[in-house]
């Protein structure tokens, strides 16, 4: 916080030197080629000026120019009444004029140079159609994802939660970008203290240009140096709507097709939204498989190094010949072998992300077949390790949240080094370090390892396992909600009577 | 902050030398089986089989045999290392074999190093070889890769039916415990095969030269532990044999008046089924009770003979002394040891045939 607090000022717009007077402002605006100024309807008429790039041409002609042309000259106040556009304004405040013009308003002046002008919002903005979610794709369930436009995103959420309790508090962040930011929560459910925390942290943001919600995420998170993300980045409106009704807080930014969700526990980073879309026992099994895959992904190569380097005793008898003969021809010690292979996989991943999709598939072929096979045949790496590393990479792709999958990618390397230094003992030491870090970590002030630590038995219903909806009677305890009850009806005993019995 | 950083970095620098000894898999020779023989003049000969990796795509393991003669086991290990390109390590040792002559001299000195070495696991088998241990170690097994695995799997397989549960841990408990004596599998090289000959009997750590034959091993196992497998052949009449199959057997020891006039009763309850019946007309209903009574009589007699044999040699592989101690307040060990060879021990066998197969 300190770093950003340094030069904080109360008015977010204060960076932009307020123009001294109207002429100064006009001079600045006219420096741009897309700023148009002309007299209308004739030389004696109004002065109309606007940014061509920001204003909707059709609206301008149909609703503004047409009205002006058909009427005699009037005062700005009268004109404002004649033009049927909302939120238009007559003002002489230079700061407001500047802000509104920059936001796509048409500025209309009379010949009387008294400095007051009529500002009519007439924004033309480029919007993308909502498309299907890409990073959080699910086979079942809704196929809508957030887009860059904040209005569209809010619309998606309000459609899902049609209640006045859904409140959206607006902020402007970024001293230059002046980006619109909205904090969303369900009043009466959410813990007000958490909302205050979030809003205070957002108010503390001081940076020039905020273009994406991940900037905000990094600035308001509890521990900014932790590799473990504490806020979830989601692109699914259904996901956001669900967690809002649990009592979490959502943050959306204009221009960013993602929403931030908090507070979270570490388990929520490994639970896909798809877990809720299928029956609870299947959902639970797949969630457990995913958790196992994460553990496997973190530990497999370091366990290999530890066992091969120090603990030949633990290798089962039947596996021993396979391991020895695959290791026999390798000129490197196990640690180098593992680092070479892990490094290759990281290169492949990084290259596949950077390349366009059509070329990306080629990378898979080049990486998987050519490099893998060639490395084994050349005797650089053993095929057992190749298999382990490939499996580990595969396992890490099962993680549904992109941010934590990056964490898992990187966290393998300290484990590798520890395994080389002290074997299994080193792995234990390294795990202890990471566990103690996780114990200390909080997400918007609530413990990160909950419900494992602190042990809250009730919250297990939706953590490692997911129980059926009928068992989800209460909202998660760690959210400290004002209204903790989800299901008000007492029991389902009546159901059997209502059912038709043939 | 700077102090913290300094502390952390100095930790890395100072601790970087505190490494553990590396034993990279392909840079060691993993001993699989080791045999010790008496060569006279207080010397022993150690023979060890190590698996040697064969480079190549297939997982082939060759084997190499090294031997050395010295006074104690660690010295033989050292001498073996003098002949090998990599150190020989014992962490995956599966079986230790002793020649019977060495075993007759007492094994304490030659088991000791395996007891102390933290690298050696406790689930390794000890066995006596009738003859030279070296002969078994040098065998070229047919089915399984190396003699180590061969012997280990041989013992494990037979432990299900005819051998009692014997590993290093059990041996150490029995040979150092009071009122209990260890046993070991007795192996033998028969032409090109390794054969379990029986159960070798010990007084403390010394092989007394007697053994229970392989077939009778089933009876010994019934007497010493609860188990669920195995079968025994009973001679019925001339040329007629019946094979009863153990489904579940339970043994309980009742020892009374251990401090003055001890009496022991070993109660064995066995559920069995009949697998093979000769000399009976299967068209008539078989009188199961008659078979039960007959089997109880024959088996009981053999068991009694076996227990009496233990008393004759003053050994206690059934751990009766141990059981007596656990059931008696102020147990007088000297008295027990003095009277043990003469106390009445009764084996009370109940067989219940729970299944006799199909009959008309």
């Amino acid at each position: 916080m300190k770093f950003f607090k340094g030069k904080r000022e109360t008015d977010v717009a204060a960076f932009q030197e307020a123009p001294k007077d109207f002429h100064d402002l006009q001079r600045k605006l006219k420096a741009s080629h897309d700023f148009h100024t002309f007299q209308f309807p004739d030389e004696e008429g109004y002065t109309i000026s606007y940014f061509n790039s920001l204003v909707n041409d059709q609206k301008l002609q149909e609703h503004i120019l047409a009205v002006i042309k058909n009427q005699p000259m009037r005062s700005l106040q009268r004109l404002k009444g004649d033009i049927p556009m909302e939120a238009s304004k007559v003002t002489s405040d230079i700061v407001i004029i500047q802000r509104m013009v920059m936001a796509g308003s048409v500025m209309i002046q009379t010949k009387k140079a008294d400095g007051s002008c009529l500002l009519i919002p007439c924004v033309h903005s480029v919007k993308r159609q909502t498309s299907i979610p890409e990073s959080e794709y699910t086979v079942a369930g809704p196929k809508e994802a957030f887009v860059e436009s904040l209005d569209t995103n809010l619309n998606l959420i309000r459609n899902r939660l049609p209640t006045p309790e859904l409140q959206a508090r607006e902020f402007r962040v970024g001293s230059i970008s002046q980006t619109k930011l909205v904090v969303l929560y369900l009043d009466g459910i959410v813990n007000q203290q958490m909302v205050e925390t979030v809003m205070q942290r957002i108010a503390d943001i001081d940076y020039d240009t905020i273009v994406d919600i991940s900037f905000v995420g990094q600035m308001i998170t509890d521990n900014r140096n932790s590799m473990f993300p504490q806020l979830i980045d989601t692109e699914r409106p259904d996901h956001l709507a669900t967690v809002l009704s649990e009592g979490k807080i959502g943050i959306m930014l204009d221009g960013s097709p993602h929403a931030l969700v908090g507070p979270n526990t570490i388990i929520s980073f490994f639970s896909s939204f798809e877990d809720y879309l299928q029956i609870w026992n299947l959902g639970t099994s797949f969630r457990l498989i995913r958790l196992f895959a994460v553990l496997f992904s973190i530990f497999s190569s370091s366990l290999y190094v530890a066992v091969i380097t120090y603990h030949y005793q633990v290798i089962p008898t039947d596996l021993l010949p396979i391991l020895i003969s695959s290791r026999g021809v390798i000129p490197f010690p196990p640690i180098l072998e593992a680092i070479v292979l892990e490094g290759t996989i990281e290169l492949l991943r990084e290259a596949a992300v950077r390349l366009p999709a059509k070329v990306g598939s080629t990378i898979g072929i080049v990486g998987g077949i050519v490099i893998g096979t060639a490395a084994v045949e050349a005797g650089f790496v053993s095929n057992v390790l190749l298999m382990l590393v490939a499996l580990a990479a595969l396992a890490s792709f099962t993680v549904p949240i992109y941010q934590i999958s990056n964490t898992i990618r990187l966290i393998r390397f300290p484990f590798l080094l520890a395994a080389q230094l002290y074997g299994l003992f080193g792995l234990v030491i390294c795990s202890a370090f990471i566990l103690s870090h996780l114990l200390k970590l909080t997400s918007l002030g609530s413990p990160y390892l909950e419900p494992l630590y602190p042990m809250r038995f009730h919250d297990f219903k939706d953590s490692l396992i997911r129980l059926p909806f009928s068992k989800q009677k209460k909202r998660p305890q760690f959210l400290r909600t004002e209204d903790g009850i989800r299901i008000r009806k007492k029991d389902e005993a009546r159901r059997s009577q209502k059912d038709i019995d043939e | 902050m700077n102090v913290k950083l300094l502390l952390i970095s100095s930790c890395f620098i100072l601790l970087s030398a505190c490494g553990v000894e590396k034993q990279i898999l392909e840079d060691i020779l993993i001993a699989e089986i080791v045999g010790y023989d008496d060569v006279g003049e207080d010397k022993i000969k150690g023979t060890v089989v190590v698996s040697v990796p064969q480079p190549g795509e297939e997982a082939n393991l060759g084997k190499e045999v090294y031997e050395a003669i010295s006074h104690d086991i660690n010295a033989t290990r050292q001498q073996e290392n003098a002949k090998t390109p990599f150190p020989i390590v014992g962490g995956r040792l599966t079986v230790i074999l002793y020649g019977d002559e060495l075993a007759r001299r007492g094994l304490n000195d030659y088991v000791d190093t395996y007891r102390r070495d933290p690298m050696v696991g406790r689930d390794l088998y000890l066995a006596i070889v009738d003859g030279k241990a070296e002969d078994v170690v040098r065998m070229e097994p047919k089915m399984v890769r190396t003699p180590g695995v061969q012997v280990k799997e041989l013992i494990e397989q037979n432990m299900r039916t005819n051998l009692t549960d014997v590993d290093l841990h059990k041996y150490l408990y029995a040979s150092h415990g009071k009122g209990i004596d260890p046993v070991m599998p007795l192996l033998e090289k028969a032409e090109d095969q390794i054969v379990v000959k029986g159960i070798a009997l010990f007084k403390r750590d010394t092989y007394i030269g007697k053994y229970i034959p392989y077939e009778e091993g089933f009876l010994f196992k019934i007497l010493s532990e609860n188990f669920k497998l195995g079968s025994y052949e009973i001679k019925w009449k001339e040329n007629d044999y019946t094979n009863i199959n153990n489904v579940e057997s339970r043994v309980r020891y009742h020892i009374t008046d251990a401090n003055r006039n001890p009496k022991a009763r070993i109660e064995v309850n066995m559920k069995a089924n009949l697998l093979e019946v000769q000399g009976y007309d299967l068209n008539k209903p078989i009188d199961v009770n008659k078979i039960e009574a007959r089997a109880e009589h024959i088996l009981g007699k053999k068991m009694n003979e076996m227990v009496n044999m233990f008393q004759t040699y003053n050994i206690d592989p059934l751990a009766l002394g141990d059981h007596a101690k656990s059931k008696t307040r102020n147990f007088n060990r000297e008295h027990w040891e003095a009277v043990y060879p003469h106390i009445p021990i009764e084996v009370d066998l109940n067989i219940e045939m729970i299944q006799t197969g199909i009959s008309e």
Side-chain angles (χ1 to χ4, degrees):
Chain A
M1 252 359 182
K2 255 186 249 162
F3 179 74
F4 293 97
K5 257 183 188 165
K7 287 178 186 168
R8 212 185 138 242
E9 283 170 48
T10 41
D11 188 356
V12 267
F15 82 97
Q16 298 165 343
E17 260 178 69
K20 281 185 254 33
D21 50 21
F22 192 74
H23 288 287
D24 190 30
L25 176 64
Q26 240 176 354
R27 188 179 51 76
K28 276 191 197 169
L29 294 175
K30 278 181 178 163
S32 301
H33 276 291
D34 54 350
F35 187 73
H36 290 199
T37 301
F38 55 87
Q39 305 293 322
F40 191 82
D42 47 48
E43 283 301 310
E44 299 304 313
Y46 305 100
T47 311
I48 294 178
S49 29
Y50 55 90
F51 272 101
N52 190 29
S53 49
L54 290 175
V55 164
N56 186 332
D57 276 341
Q58 198 190 348
K59 267 195 199 169
L60 175 69
Q61 277 158 22
E62 284 176 10
H63 300 299
I64 301 174
L65 298 186
V67 174
I68 292 174
K69 187 154 193 188
N70 295 336
Q71 283 177 351
M73 283 280 288
R74 293 158 183 266
S75 74
L76 288 178
Q77 279 299 349
R78 297 277 300 277
L79 188 62
K80 182 185 168 209
D82 289 336
I83 296 176
M85 299 279 261
E86 86 278 8
S88 46
K89 198 176 221 172
V90 178
T91 181
S92 57
D93 185 336
I94 306 270
V95 175
I96 293 178
I97 293 172
Q98 177 177 333
R99 186 180 288 172
M100 288 191 70
V101 169
M102 294 314 298
S105 294
V106 177
M107 179 168 79
I108 302 176
Q109 289 162 288
T110 50
K111 275 281 162 190
K112 283 182 276 174
D114 60 350
S116 72
C117 11
L118 171 60
L119 294 158
I120 304 167
C122 187
V123 198
H124 163 72
S125 59
V126 187
K127 280 185 191 171
R128 181 162 67 96
Q129 286 292 310
T130 56
S131 56
I132 55 171
E134 277 168 12
S135 64
E136 283 174 88
Y137 183 80
T138 59
V139 178
K143 297 284 182 295
E144 266 175 338
F146 287 132
V147 291
E148 282 76 4
S149 156
L150 182 61
D151 294 333
T152 315
N153 293 350
L154 279 173
N155 171 275
L156 290 172
I157 288 298
R158 285 224 182 262
N159 278 338
R160 283 177 170 78
L161 300 171
T163 159
E165 263 76 52
L166 176 64
Q167 296 187 351
R169 301 288 277 280
E170 197 178 302
F171 290 83
R172 294 264 174 182
V173 290
S175 49
I176 291 179
S177 65
Q178 291 292 302
T179 322
K180 227 198 277 181
L181 180 146
V182 164
V183 177
L184 279 171
Y185 55 88
L186 276 175
D187 195 37
I189 291 176
V190 78
N191 183 336
Q192 280 302 329
Q193 208 183 333
M194 268 171 197
V195 179
E196 297 296 326
T197 313
V198 171
M199 294 206 286
Q200 181 246 320
R201 285 185 192 174
I202 287 171
D204 280 347
I205 290 177
D206 188 18
Y207 198 65
D208 52 358
T209 312
I210 307 252
V211 292
D212 191 69
I213 194 80
S214 49
F215 283 44
V216 180
Q218 289 174 54
M219 287 169 190
I220 68 168
T221 191
D222 294 45
N223 183 343
R224 288 176 196 172
N225 298 322
S226 174
M227 286 208 286
F228 289 87
Q230 294 132 59
L231 297 167
I232 287 183
D233 220 335
T234 182
E235 58 169 353
R236 296 182 65 98
D238 47 345
H239 184 183
L240 181 60
T242 315
V243 296
L244 282 179
S245 61
E246 259 179 8
K248 291 189 180 177
I249 301 168
I251 304 166
M252 289 202 287
L253 188 81
D254 197 17
S256 166
H258 288 265
L260 276 188
V261 172
N264 300 298
T265 62
I266 192 164
I267 304 285
S268 48
F269 284 89
F270 300 115
S271 42
S272 159
F273 193 68
E274 191 145 25
D275 296 347
Y276 301 97
L277 300 178
Q278 48 195 334
I279 194 161
W280 67 277
N281 35 24
L282 288 180
T284 300
S285 320
F286 293 134
R287 196 178 272 188
L288 289 176
I289 287 177
R290 217 175 291 128
L291 280 167
F292 171 77
V294 168
L295 288 181
F296 177 82
S297 173
I298 295 175
F299 286 111
S300 61
S301 54
S302 45
L303 260 180
Y304 173 86
V305 170
V307 166
I308 300 283
T309 316
Y310 292 104
H311 312 285
Y312 65 90
Q313 297 96 333
V314 303
I315 305 169
T317 311
D318 297 333
L319 204 60
L320 204 59
I322 301 171
L323 276 179
I324 297 183
S325 55
S326 84
R327 276 287 304 158
V329 288
I330 313 296
F332 304 122
I335 177 72
L336 263 181
E337 187 195 3
I339 285 182
V340 163
L341 208 52
E342 289 279 7
T344 315
I345 292 269
E346 288 310 312
L347 282 183
L348 281 173
R349 278 182 150 195
E350 202 57 29
V353 172
R354 301 291 153 247
L355 280 172
K358 280 174 189 162
V359 196
S361 60
T362 339
I363 285 291
I365 298 164
V366 171
I369 300 171
V370 180
I371 299 182
T373 320
V376 169
E377 273 178 13
F380 261 59
V381 292
S382 66
N383 36 24
V384 176
L385 181 66
L386 181 74
M387 192 192 75
L388 279 180
V389 170
L391 269 182
L394 192 66
S396 72
F397 287 130
T398 60
V399 180
I401 310 274
Y402 178 67
Q403 298 145 294
I404 196 116
S405 76
N406 282 342
T407 309
I408 289 165
R409 265 168 82 178
L410 199 65
I411 217 166
R412 286 205 281 251
F413 290 94
F415 276 104
L416 267 182
L417 290 182
Q420 166 65 14
L421 277 179
Y422 301 114
L424 288 180
F425 175 64
L427 284 188
V428 172
I429 294 270
C430 202
S431 315
F433 263 101
I434 287 186
L435 262 183
S436 54
H437 169 68
L438 287 176
L439 280 174
K440 236 179 80 179
L441 213 54
T442 54
S443 166
L444 298 183
S446 62
Y448 197 57
L449 276 189
E450 205 268 358
L452 305 170
Y453 182 86
M455 184 80 170
R456 288 191 188 136
F457 190 72
H458 281 290
D459 282 3
F460 271 106
K461 65 184 185 297
D462 184 16
S463 55
L464 296 171
I465 52 171
R466 180 186 91 77
L467 292 184
F469 289 120
S470 59
K471 299 274 182 250
Q472 313 270 0
K473 286 188 177 155
K474 289 181 179 166
R475 301 204 161 86
Q477 284 183 336
F478 75 98
L479 294 172
R480 297 274 175 243
T481 47
E482 288 177 358
D483 178 10
I485 313 248
R486 278 185 139 169
I487 303 179
R488 301 213 176 265
K489 278 185 189 159
K490 276 282 176 271
D491 55 293
E492 297 177 53
R494 289 157 280 107
R495 221 179 77 180
S496 55
Q497 293 165 9
K498 276 185 189 168
D499 285 347
I500 298 166
D501 195 358
E502 278 183 37
Chain B
M1 188 62 204
N2 272 335
V3 177
K4 221 180 191 178
L5 212 70
L6 197 75
L7 272 176
I8 291 172
S9 52
S10 61
C11 268
F12 274 108
I13 294 166
L14 293 175
L15 289 179
S16 60
C18 302
V20 198
E21 185 204 350
K22 271 182 205 146
Q23 291 180 318
I24 298 175
L25 192 59
E26 69 272 15
D27 295 343
I28 47 177
L29 291 175
I30 297 172
E32 293 207 335
I33 180 170
V34 59
Y36 294 106
D37 284 306
D38 191 13
V39 287
E41 295 166 16
D42 218 14
K43 283 193 173 178
I44 54 166
K45 179 181 187 184
T47 315
V48 61
V49 173
V50 298
S51 36
V52 183
Q54 307 264 303
E57 294 263 309
E58 283 114 52
N60 280 332
L61 274 192
K63 64 157 197 164
E64 202 70 52
V65 185
Y66 296 99
E67 57 180 45
I69 297 177
S70 184
H71 294 281
D72 61 77
I73 283 180
N74 254 324
T76 56
R77 275 202 204 173
Q78 280 299 321
Q79 288 188 21
E80 280 155 4
N81 273 336
K83 300 172 189 166
T84 59
F86 299 117
I88 297 178
V89 292
R92 283 213 60 88
L93 211 54
T94 50
V95 182
I96 305 173
L97 298 177
Y98 296 98
D100 64 340
E101 297 208 356
L102 189 67
R104 279 173 215 267
R105 272 169 49 186
L107 286 179
N108 254 359
D109 296 345
Y110 308 113
V111 176
D112 194 66
T113 176
Y114 296 104
R115 191 177 64 164
R116 294 182 198 285
D117 191 347
M119 284 294 175
V120 175
R122 292 289 177 274
D123 60 339
L124 107 157
Y125 298 110
L126 304 179
I128 304 287
V129 176
D130 195 17
K132 290 270 176 211
E134 189 187 343
D135 296 340
V136 172
V137 173
R138 283 183 178 276
M139 288 260 313
E140 295 283 346
K142 282 178 189 157
M143 272 166 57
V144 201
R145 294 142 296 242
T146 53
V149 179
Q150 165 97 347
V151 173
K152 178 184 171 238
E153 286 174 3
L154 183 73
I155 292 176
E156 272 176 358
Q157 194 268 113
N158 282 296
M159 249 167 39
R160 292 160 57 226
T161 55
N162 286 41
L163 290 178
T164 47
D165 197 357
V166 277
D167 54 24
L168 179 62
H169 201 72
K170 288 263 164 64
Y171 169 79
L172 288 173
Y173 177 76
S175 72
H176 290 270
K178 302 265 168 32
I180 179 169
D181 285 311
V183 292
M184 268 192 207
L186 181 69
L187 305 181
E188 182 187 40
K189 187 189 168 193
E191 294 175 17
D192 57 348
Q193 281 177 324
I194 305 171
V195 181
V196 180
K197 199 174 174 190
I199 301 175
L201 297 171
F202 277 68
K203 178 70 189 171
R204 298 238 169 279
D205 66 325
T206 315
Y207 176 42
I208 60 169
K210 291 282 167 189
Y211 64 94
I212 301 169
Y214 179 73
E215 303 80 44
E216 313 272 297
F218 172 69
L219 300 180
F220 179 67
K221 195 168 167 71
I222 283 184
L223 278 178
S224 53
E225 59 195 50
N226 301 336
F227 80 118
K228 290 190 174 180
L229 270 171
S231 61
Y232 192 76
E233 186 186 72
I234 301 169
K235 187 176 178 189
W236 211 249
K237 288 177 261 174
E238 204 59 39
N239 297 328
D240 285 341
Y241 294 90
T242 301
N243 204 317
I244 62 168
N245 192 37
N246 178 21
V247 177
E248 186 181 2
S249 87
R250 300 196 163 272
V251 60
R252 293 181 69 185
Y253 305 94
H254 304 275
I255 297 159
T256 48
D257 205 8
N259 278 347
R260 275 170 301 177
N261 205 5
K263 263 186 198 157
R265 189 166 70 88
I266 304 173
E267 183 190 337
V268 179
N269 288 311
M270 185 166 133
K271 288 177 184 164
N273 61 11
L274 276 178
L275 277 194
E276 211 178 319
V277 184
Q278 293 177 349
Y280 263 98
D281 184 0
L282 288 175
N283 285 326
K284 286 183 220 158
I286 300 168
D287 189 351
V288 177
N289 288 337
K290 213 166 125 192
I291 297 179
E292 280 176 7
R294 177 91 176 152
E296 275 170 17
H297 176 72
I298 296 175
L299 291 186
K301 202 172 135 203
K302 293 226 175 197
M303 286 175 174
N304 269 319
E305 279 168 12
M306 188 182 285
V307 173
N308 290 337
M309 191 257 283
F310 296 156
Q311 283 179 299
T312 315
Y313 293 105
N314 193 14
I315 56 172
D316 193 359
L318 293 176
L320 289 177
D322 208 32
H323 286 289
K325 182 188 148 229
S326 69
K327 297 276 169 66
T328 315
R329 202 177 288 270
N330 303 323
F331 179 63
N332 184 348
R333 176 166 293 120
E334 276 119 48
H335 176 68
W336 172 269
E337 278 169 6
V339 298
Y340 173 72
H342 313 295
I343 61 172
I345 302 176
E346 181 198 339
V347 178
D348 187 358
L349 175 68
N350 299 305
I351 297 179
E352 187 191 345
M353 292 291 173
I354 57 170
Q355 196 192 340
T356 53
I358 304 168
S359 56
E360 277 178 39

